[in-house]
Amino acid sequence: MSEIATTSLFDQEPYERTFRASIIEVKEDLIALDRTLFYPAGGGQPGDSGELRTKQGSMRVVETFRDAVNRSLIWHRVDNSSETVGDAVDGAIDWEPRYSNMRMHTCLHLLCSLISAPVTGCGMGGEKGRLDFDLPEMDLTKDEITRRLNELITSQIEVTTSLIAPQRRAELLGLVRNRYALPPETSDAIKVIHVNGVDVQPCGGTHVANTAEIPRVVCEKIEKKGRQNRRIVLRFDN
Ligand SMILES: [Zn+2]
């Protein structure tokens, strides 16, 4: 028997805000759709919130995440549900937080390019972002990081995606240094994000199409987390 799965519209159309889908599974306050624009929490990027509307009325989506066992299935946690499998749904994501995450996520790829050390952690949300590096000595200052990031942002660098067959996953991981937001292990093609000439890595997140869309950023702090780890925190300079 083949497992049920959700098509990742957020991968194909990261700038779309509304979509139409059908309910394929309902479990208490959780709804799964055949396709969704709602990004499921993962790789340090928060899951999207928004609204689902059916003929019964509208529901707030408060949380989006992948099923722990069937990684191809995406759940939307809603504030009330009386829906049934097969119902048609109109969905709309909350665009402001999602676009902020797309911009910060892309900015974290720029940060990766400045520091040659393995990334051990990643997080973003609320106009902030951070990466943890396995890095005993830090040779860049906050001001240098701020200056170099803003240089890259204003250089208007194109960000493109290529798709690699899932069978090539192991080979692909051998080729890249940074793997902080690995795409989920599904039967889908693996997304590889190219910030042209700056950073290349497989990544499951959502990104902007050009670095010019990222607002001016500030490196807020560099924290020492244990003997080997450095946490670099960025925020938008609004
Ligand atoms: Zn990414």
Side-chain angles (χ1 to χ4, degrees):
M1 196 187 91
S2 67
E3 285 187 310
I4 55 171
T6 308
T7 300
S8 306
L9 297 178
F10 50 85
D11 276 342
Q12 298 157 12
E13 302 285 351
Y15 286 87
E16 286 297 316
R17 306 171 192 201
T18 59
F19 66 105
R20 186 139 242 241
S22 300
I23 296 178
I24 54 172
E25 188 78 276
V26 179
K27 206 166 70 181
E28 294 170 3
D29 60 348
L30 299 177
I31 288 180
L33 305 173
D34 60 343
R35 56 212 292 267
T36 190
L37 272 182
F38 284 78
Y39 178 77
Q45 183 173 335
D48 286 337
S49 59
E51 194 176 87
L52 295 179
R53 189 179 289 278
T54 67
K55 59 181 187 305
Q56 334 252 37
S58 77
M59 302 165 273
R60 279 297 298 168
V61 174
V62 293
E63 197 185 359
T64 308
F65 57 94
R66 285 185 186 273
D67 187 86
V69 177
N70 175 4
R71 303 297 286 158
S72 300
L73 187 68
I74 296 173
W75 291 110
H76 307 79
R77 190 184 299 284
V78 295
D79 61 351
N80 66 73
S81 170
S82 55
E83 325 305 313
T84 47
V85 171
D87 283 356
V89 169
D90 284 306
I93 60 168
D94 291 337
W95 177 246
E96 211 172 292
R98 152 68 97 70
Y99 190 47
S100 174
N101 289 339
M102 282 165 65
R103 298 190 293 182
M104 182 53 81
H105 196 134
T106 310
C107 190
L108 293 178
H109 284 250
L110 302 181
L111 178 60
C112 270
S113 76
L114 300 182
I115 293 165
S116 45
V119 175
T120 57
C122 168
M124 73 202 74
E127 311 271 291
K128 283 196 178 192
R130 55 118 182 133
L131 285 181
D132 298 337
F133 291 92
D134 181 5
L135 183 64
E137 296 298 329
M138 182 72 207
D139 54 1
L140 285 174
T141 65
K142 285 191 295 181
D143 288 350
E144 282 164 335
I145 291 174
T146 296
R147 183 179 59 77
R148 292 178 65 180
L149 284 177
N150 288 305
E151 259 172 30
L152 289 169
I153 289 168
T154 52
S155 298
Q156 305 183 17
I157 303 160
E158 252 200 312
V159 181
T160 55
T161 303
S162 58
L163 296 173
I164 306 289
Q167 296 79 2
R168 292 184 55 204
R169 190 178 179 92
E171 175 197 342
L172 182 65
L173 295 190
L175 292 176
V176 294
R177 174 174 62 89
N178 291 313
R179 323 167 167 187
Y180 65 88
L182 278 183
E185 284 200 53
T186 67
S187 54
D188 295 344
I190 301 166
K191 269 198 317 178
V192 178
I193 307 303
H194 305 253
V195 183
N196 291 344
V198 176
D199 182 66
V200 179
Q201 60 182 291
C203 184
T206 56
H207 309 82
V208 292
N210 192 295
T211 62
E213 293 180 50
I214 305 169
R216 200 186 144 72
V217 294
V218 176
C219 177
E220 195 170 75
K221 56 186 166 187
I222 301 173
E223 286 176 295
K224 210 171 166 204
K225 292 269 174 193
R227 196 166 56 85
Q228 285 280 102
N229 266 287
R230 292 291 180 288
R231 170 169 293 182
I232 300 181
V233 182
L234 308 178
R235 66 171 166 81
F236 292 140
D237 187 17
N238 291 324

